[in-house]
Amino acid sequence: MDSLRRDSVDPAARDADRLAELFPMVVTEVIGADGRATRAIDFDQLRRRLGDYVVEGERERYRLDWPGKRRAQREAREPASGTLRPVRSESVNFDTTGNLFIEGDNLDVLRLLQEPYLGRIKLIYIDPPYNTGNDFIYDDDFSQTRAGYLTGSGQVGAGGVPLVANPEWGGRFHSNWLTMMYPRLALARNLLADDGVIFISIDDHEIDNLKKIGTEIFGEQNFVAQIIWQKVYAPKNSARWFSEDHDYILVFARNRERWQPRPLARTEAMEARYRNPDDDPRGPWKAENMSARNRYDAGVYPITTPSGRVIDGPPRGSYWRISRQRFDELDADGRIWWGADGDNVPAVKRFLSEVAAGRTPQTLWPYDEVGHTQDAKRALLRYVPFGNTANVLNSVKPVELVRRILQLAGDPGDGDIVLDFFSGSGTTAHAVLEQNLADGGNRRFIGVQIPEPLPVAEAGLASIFEIGLTRVRNVAAEIRARHPGAALDLGFRVLRWDTSGLADARVPPDTLDQAGLAAQTDRIRPGRTGEDLLLQVQLDWGLDPATPITVATADGREILVAGELVACFAATISPGVVRAVAERRPRWAVFRDSAFAGDADRINAGQVFAEVSPATDVKVL
């Protein structure tokens, strides 16, 4: 039985695999730092293979650069080494829910999610810091000091001596923000399904930079739209220059050829435009102009109305949109409207029963359709009983706005996973619950938030993360009370980022004495429960950490079952426990390494699985 690896797969190794698949001739071997031969990519060979398509060195090229970009790219490639620990006491319906709230730095968490959710996320919506310096709870001002920017950008040397004649320091307000956003977006892209999409809220401060790094990460060909959201219902008379009435939402697809927005439902006002003044048996219809400005040579001909009036042709500078033959066919079928007295310029009847069921989404979203900032704050105050006004977030988004995004992103019943790794007050999770209630959907949410402390600590409400938990608990309770028979997942499983549950076994031999050698027989850190270890195994093996967990016993030992994974982390195990696990014929089985008295017991356990469940992959911690 092999030991379970401690670290997640290196993203750089995954990229090397892709290169090896495309260009097998560039794969070679080198001697690594540990003295062992390891696979590598021969970049010289790759350069020769690509020929004139390679650009490097001082050659000019189009790109966005800033001090810290190399660090940002390096952070996007670093593997995860921590884990997530379940917190039952703060969860709702822990054993059955598919929803997750994760407390931790989103960069650490995104690295951990690479294995279980690679290519599985249908929708990502994030509302990151806008880098305005105005938000008093989020660390929303990533500007550097002037000295720090000049040093980092190579414009000054040791002792602050200028290296350029006219140093530029305006970019210091953007570099740290870009360095923060870049690796998170790069990791997020890996999680998107091939037909997945990401929506990102932003304002004028960083819209240009966000679009540039989004284009670099997702590809210019996968940019979908730049939406304008009217965020206020009245102008700000206190504005010094212009009242800023809107924010933006950038939309990038993982593969634009695979994703399209779903049509929106028609509004009552739209349907009211269809009437039936002539009692047509085909139902309500709307008259559409028959002329257009685009040149159409077959669209120039005279028309005689039923009243006998001759219309010489279309209005000056325009053309009939249909040919004479098609016009006669429509008229014979009663699809031309001449007016009540038969003397009007003809119009084509468009029947409601024949138009598409929905409407094409537009890039202008008015507040009367998707809410405004005051709606957002009212919703937050309704579900979170703040004791201190200083703790009320000012940058929340309305639930209606996120529900609009959910409506566009995918089909309600596809079991889509919705990720928000700047989850803040839990607006996205709130919207998922309400939208599932409205359309019978079965979407799942994953919210990630760092435990940012509030300005004034309150009982049960010490951080932004706890604001989100409180809000969604109360939203779920309200839905449950109003719709007791609704078959909805109204729970969530709380997970918390922590260091690995396994101590580092890579100890230099010259520092290891007899006592230290004995300690190496059990690598599990003190205080870790069976569920802690189970979740770490799920993450390392790329299994969904939201998989329902059931508990069984054998010979008095706890056996944890999560889908096709069965684990027993008891301090000691008997042959009966091993056989009980094997008889479940799981795809994966995990035991505590120190639970086996010796190598003979490990060999016997392997023989039991070979006999009872030979397809099971058996590991030890």
Side-chain angles (χ1 to χ4, degrees), residues 73 142 152 191 204 266 348 382 425 483 523 542 575 587 590 598:
Q73 293 172 326
F142 293 91
L191 300 179
D204 281 314
R266 287 192 299 262
V348 177
R382 176 179 176 179
S425 66
H483 306 274
R523 297 172 52 208
R587 185 174 179 181
V590 185

Side-chain angles (χ1 to χ4, degrees), residues 5 8 82-85 109 112-117 495 533-545 565:
R5 71 173 188 272
S8 64
T83 190
L84 299 177
R85 300 179 67 182
V109 174
L112 284 171
L113 298 184
Q114 294 297 296
E115 292 295 304
Y117 293 110
L495 308 178
L533 299 173
L534 179 71
L535 190 56
Q536 176 152 346
V537 171
Q538 288 176 304
L539 293 170
D540 286 343
W541 262 337
L543 306 179
D544 192 341
L565 169 64

